[in-house]
Amino acid sequence: SQELEQSPQSLIVQEGKNLTINCTSSKTLYGLYWYKQKYGEGLIFLMMLQKGGEEKSHEKITAKLDEKKQQSSLHITASQPSHAGIYLCGALGGGSQGNLIFGKGTKLSVKP
Amino acid sequence: EPEVTQTPSHQVTQMGQEVILRCVPISNHLYFYWYRQILGQKVEFLVSFYNNEISEKSEIFDDQFSVERPDGSNFTLKIRSTKLEDSAMYFCASSRLNEQFFGPGTRLTVL
């Protein structure tokens, strides 16, 4: 079965600093999703990547899917306290109707 | 902006009782999902639903679980006889094509 490993598990950065979170899959990725979750709350959709080499940006967050489609990175530029939360990567689990499997998440804290 | 809604936000129940968790997916979406997240663990897929029937389910989704779309807007998850280990956050999600949008979750506590 497919496994997603996220690194680092947790991250503390000073406000204004850049950071990168990685998601590595044990199998080829056919759809990679990034979500943000605040503790005890729902998952907020950030973006989805499908093609090898694809890169998407939303505000100060950029996500890339590598050419081999086994790794994705999420980069935040000039972090702000509002970026704090748990970042989850999810991948299509191979089912025909889009069920997702998730990594354990990366907890981001931003110090003002 | 349309969003997935879930009720209740919290549910406390006694072991062995039935619970129904409710979701209103985004109105023009076609695919519906339930996931759960036990405290401190990964988000896990339970079931997907399309065209008024279950399309896929995980090993977690045993005979104690059922889903229904009783009308054009609601999507429900029923647990017939809750166990202590069913305590978790339950998330509903919906999609039209590829992007899945999640609701805020229902925190289920089984005592």
Side-chain angles (χ1 to χ4, degrees):
Chain A
S1 61
Q2 188 169 17
E3 295 279 334
L4 294 179
E5 187 161 332
Q6 288 188 237
S7 62
Q9 289 184 345
S10 65
L11 194 53
I12 302 172
V13 298
Q14 200 69 40
E15 183 178 357
K17 295 294 185 185
N18 303 337
L19 63 107
T20 300
I21 297 168
N22 293 302
C23 176
T24 303
S25 173
S26 58
K27 295 184 180 180
T28 300
L29 292 161
Y30 293 102
L32 190 284
Y33 296 69
W34 283 101
Y35 290 88
K36 179 185 173 185
Q37 183 181 29
K38 292 205 167 176
Y39 180 76
E41 297 182 12
L43 280 65
I44 300 167
F45 175 80
L46 296 175
M47 53 195 91
M48 179 203 166
L49 305 164
Q50 284 186 293
K51 299 175 185 173
E54 186 175 9
E55 180 175 319
K56 286 186 178 176
S57 293
H58 176 69
E59 297 179 344
K60 293 185 178 179
I61 301 176
T62 301
K64 298 179 187 178
L65 182 61
D66 75 341
E67 289 289 343
K68 293 184 179 178
K69 294 172 65 175
Q70 282 202 266
Q71 187 169 29
S72 178
S73 60
L74 185 86
H75 184 76
I76 299 177
T77 304
S79 58
Q80 300 167 357
S82 60
H83 288 127
I86 300 169
Y87 288 82
L88 300 172
C89 65
L92 289 173
S96 60
Q97 296 300 334
N99 51 297
L100 297 179
I101 59 166
F102 285 91
K104 288 184 177 179
T106 294
K107 184 178 177 184
L108 173 64
S109 302
V110 180
K111 290 173 138 182
Chain B
E1 189 172 325
E3 56 184 22
V4 177
T5 59
Q6 291 186 242
T7 54
S9 55
H10 293 87
Q11 174 89 49
V12 180
T13 190
Q14 294 290 326
M15 191 169 57
Q17 295 295 305
E18 174 183 288
V19 294
I20 297 176
L21 310 183
R22 291 181 167 80
C23 169
V24 179
I26 295 172
S27 62
N28 64 348
H29 283 189
L30 304 173
Y31 302 91
F32 313 111
Y33 310 84
W34 284 101
Y35 293 81
R36 79 172 186 190
Q37 186 178 32
I38 294 171
L39 188 64
Q41 296 188 23
K42 294 181 186 181
V43 176
E44 302 173 288
F45 166 74
L46 293 178
V47 65
S48 59
F49 193 86
Y50 171 72
N51 201 24
N52 282 318
E53 60 183 24
I54 290 174
S55 30
E56 291 187 85
K57 57 185 181 179
S58 71
E59 292 175 352
I60 303 167
F61 194 88
D62 62 22
D63 292 344
Q64 293 298 313
F65 292 87
S66 61
V67 289
E68 197 177 34
R69 188 155 161 82
D71 53 43
S73 58
N74 291 283
F75 180 50
T76 62
L77 174 69
K78 182 193 290 186
I79 309 175
R80 286 190 187 80
S81 178
T82 50
K83 304 171 192 165
L84 295 175
E85 54 265 36
D86 292 329
S87 294
M89 278 287 276
Y90 286 82
F91 295 108
C92 172
S94 70
S95 68
R96 181 163 176 79
L97 292 172
N98 296 319
E99 297 176 352
Q100 281 190 36
F101 294 91
F102 282 68
T106 292
R107 181 172 297 283
L108 176 66
T109 301
V110 182
L111 302 176

